Amino acid sequence: MSYLTLSLTLIFVLIPLLLSRTLKLGLEKDTLIATVRSIIQLLVVGYVLQYVFQADSFIFILLMILLMIGAATQNARKKGASIQGITWKLFITFVFIEILTQSILLGLNIVPATPQYIIPISGMVIGNSMVLGILFLNRFTAEVENQKEETELILSLGGTPKQAIHTQLITSIKASTIPTIESQKTIGLVQLPGMMSGQIIAGADPVQAVQFQLLILFLLLTTAVVTSIMLGFLSYPALFNKRMQFLKLKS
Amino acid sequence: MNQAAIILQNVHYSADGIHILKNITGSFPEGKITTLVGPSGAGKSTLFKLCNGLRSPDSGEILIKGKSIYEYDPLDLRRKVGIALQSATMIKGSVLDNLQLPLTLQGQKIEREYAEELLHDVGLGEEFIERNAKDLSGGQRQKLSIARTLVNKPKVLLLDEITSSLDRVSQHDIEELIEKINRKYGTTIIWITHNLDQALRIGHYTWVMMNGELIESGESSLLQNPQDKRVQEFVKGELE
Ligand SMILES: Nc1ncnc2c1ncn2[C@@H]1O[C@H](COP(=O)(O)OP(=O)(O)OP(=O)(O)O)[C@@H](O)[C@H]1O
Ligand SMILES: [Mg+2]
């Protein structure tokens, strides 16, 4: 695509702008900000990727991945701000997921060990892990708050912290992973997954695109379940002290 | 007074910057029934949570059977010093699930006969056993909560307003049950109640708390003839 044709796509920005103006929706400012940000961010990413791909150096790949993990941590930590030490707990969860998935993919030669594969796949894995982390923390902090009497009851009867928080933990792990599992049941029926569409547009063989999409789907299944479980088991001990007393969530 | 089951020495406790318990010093005699009375917000329930290890004092000492509370394994302490919480909270599940919860937590199950006996003791028929615990009435939940606390066979029993939602007949039945447990097993009972008649009826001893302080303690008859002005007013208001 040339820059000329790309600029023509700005028509798709003008339509909402004009509509917003005439109907006084007040969306102009946000639309403009969104447009400008997406142009800048994606161009930067494009050039950075180009550079990294050409350099084909392990250090650059590592830096990119660390950058993604850092951004994901920064994004998700707000949702778990009431849990002590959530930042590093998220960080090691993302690092673990990344290492787990890449070592299977590269170790078994499922994908070639080139930046063209490693970086986009890492992006999808870490991005999904972040969303799962946010879903989990949202639900878990709500469950902990709503069920604090049950938690205290179990402790009072001589239950361990793990027993006292077990129901809330399992409920939250389930609730946060269900959307991933459910969406995979209907995938392809309504909407073609973005990556697969992109590949097909770029001229790839649809069947090959499907194979690759399946790989990603299965990868995201692992990502979802492992993220929630790991985050859950890292988070809950922060709710109790050494004397097995239930602490209030930080406000 | 004979030996003390629980001794508190200069106990202070605060939460969220509120000084809830202020310099509590006193004891609960072994094998006796002591009632704990005082206006709402006096810190009675909080004191219970300290004795059962759900909270720790900011300063001061709590001795259970002569041993510092910190020397106990928390889980062991909570089984020895059983508490029936004011909220009579139920977990999701049936009456049976709730009744056997203390055993489930130790990987055991309750014997059906024992379950029925306990339910019968607190005035719940065996037809309740499969019911959903969350559907029970307030009074029924209190009864189940008492039975559940008894499953651990605690040496000290902390009862937090366990009859506040009960009709008079059930109230008397529970009083009889607790007195029986006290006589039969020598269990030390500490009972928070807003009902001063009840305190006079069942308590050998009593503590009067106000505003986070222990104002008066001694034999229950002190409620009929309190020394402290504030206690006199409180008692007058309650017995009216
Ligand atoms: N976790 C907490 N954080 C802040 N304040 C608390 C907390 N728990 C209790 N309090 C406060 O401590 C005081 C004592 O509460 P507590 O429940 O012990 O009173 P109580 O004597 O049992 O009252 P009632 O007769 O109404 O049950 C109250 O003012 C209460 O608001
Ligand atoms: Mg109370």
Side-chain angles (χ1 to χ4, degrees), chain B residues 163-176 195 197-198 201:
Chain B
T163 60
S164 60
S165 311
L166 298 186
D167 58 90
R168 259 167 198 274
V169 175
S170 305
Q171 212 168 322
H172 282 275
D173 288 347
I174 296 294
E175 287 171 14
E176 264 170 33
N195 181 337
D197 289 323
Q198 187 177 49
R201 227 172 16 239

Side-chain angles (χ1 to χ4, degrees), chain A:
Chain A
M1 215 190 289
S2 71
Y3 276 100
L4 176 69
T5 42
L6 183 61
S7 9
L8 283 178
T9 60
L10 285 176
I11 293 171
F12 294 117
V13 177
L14 282 177
I15 295 172
L17 275 182
L18 287 175
L19 282 174
S20 172
R21 166 71 48 94
T22 27
L23 295 176
K24 295 201 169 59
L25 299 178
L27 297 173
E28 296 97 305
K29 197 173 149 214
D30 280 329
T31 310
L32 278 176
I33 293 177
T35 308
V36 172
R37 278 190 64 160
S38 55
I39 292 175
I40 296 175
Q41 288 167 3
L42 287 179
L43 280 180
V44 169
V45 169
Y47 284 115
V48 170
L49 285 180
Q50 197 174 41
Y51 183 78
V52 172
F53 288 178
Q54 272 162 8
D56 197 3
S57 134
F58 178 70
I59 296 290
F60 282 134
I61 300 178
L62 198 66
L63 274 178
M64 287 272 326
I65 291 173
L66 275 179
L67 202 71
M68 292 178 197
I69 291 181
T73 306
Q74 184 60 31
N75 249 328
R77 59 183 284 216
K78 292 167 214 139
K79 291 294 171 202
S82 53
I83 297 170
Q84 194 86 40
I86 195 62
T87 308
W88 71 265
K89 286 169 184 171
L90 281 163
F91 187 80
I92 54 172
T93 303
F94 296 147
V95 169
F96 179 79
I97 294 279
E98 172 66 11
I99 293 175
L100 175 76
T101 51
Q102 289 298 337
S103 46
I104 295 173
L105 288 173
L106 301 178
L108 297 180
N109 257 326
I110 299 175
V111 299
T114 60
Q116 280 90 331
Y117 282 91
I118 297 176
I119 290 175
I121 292 178
S122 298
M124 280 186 270
V125 166
I126 296 166
N128 272 274
S129 190
M130 175 188 81
V131 171
L132 255 294
I134 290 173
L135 284 177
F136 172 79
L137 289 174
N138 252 342
R139 182 62 183 255
F140 188 55
T141 46
E143 290 284 326
V144 167
E145 188 60 30
N146 293 338
Q147 312 270 323
K148 55 186 174 198
E149 298 207 325
E150 284 84 345
T151 305
E152 193 120 292
L153 167 76
I154 292 174
L155 290 178
S156 80
L157 293 171
T160 61
K162 193 170 160 198
Q163 289 173 322
I165 209 76
H166 184 258
T167 312
Q168 295 88 312
L169 201 56
I170 297 301
T171 309
S172 313
I173 290 174
K174 265 194 185 160
S176 58
T177 49
I178 280 174
T180 304
I181 299 169
E182 283 302 313
S183 71
Q184 297 201 0
K185 285 191 192 158
T186 55
I187 199 152
L189 297 180
V190 182
Q191 200 183 16
L192 292 182
M195 190 199 64
M196 197 173 108
S197 316
Q199 271 190 306
I200 293 174
I201 290 169
D205 168 29
V207 174
Q208 214 170 26
V210 165
Q211 285 176 349
F212 209 75
Q213 185 65 48
L214 281 176
L215 162 74
I216 299 297
L217 286 184
F218 299 155
L219 201 57
L220 297 187
L221 215 51
T222 287
T223 305
V225 176
V226 174
T227 301
S228 284
I229 292 177
M230 187 161 165
L231 206 50
F233 281 87
L234 286 177
S235 310
Y236 89 80
L239 303 172
F240 302 89
N241 66 14
K242 278 214 187 69
R243 300 210 51 80
M244 303 195 185
Q245 292 162 344
F246 183 48
L247 305 171
K248 270 202 206 163
L249 286 173
K250 290 194 286 173
S251 48

Side-chain angles (χ1 to χ4, degrees), chain B residues 11-14 17-25 36-47 194 207-216 228 230-231 233-234:
Chain B
V11 169
H12 286 268
Y13 177 76
S14 26
I18 307 167
H19 201 168
I20 300 174
L21 294 177
K22 303 165 189 159
N23 204 24
I24 306 276
T25 298
L36 187 45
V37 301
S40 279
K44 306 181 295 294
S45 300
T46 308
L47 186 82
H194 272 287
W207 276 34
V208 187
M209 285 182 67
M210 283 179 181
N211 238 323
E213 290 176 78
L214 172 59
I215 308 283
E216 272 193 65
D228 190 280
R230 291 164 293 177
V231 181
E233 264 167 41
F234 168 70

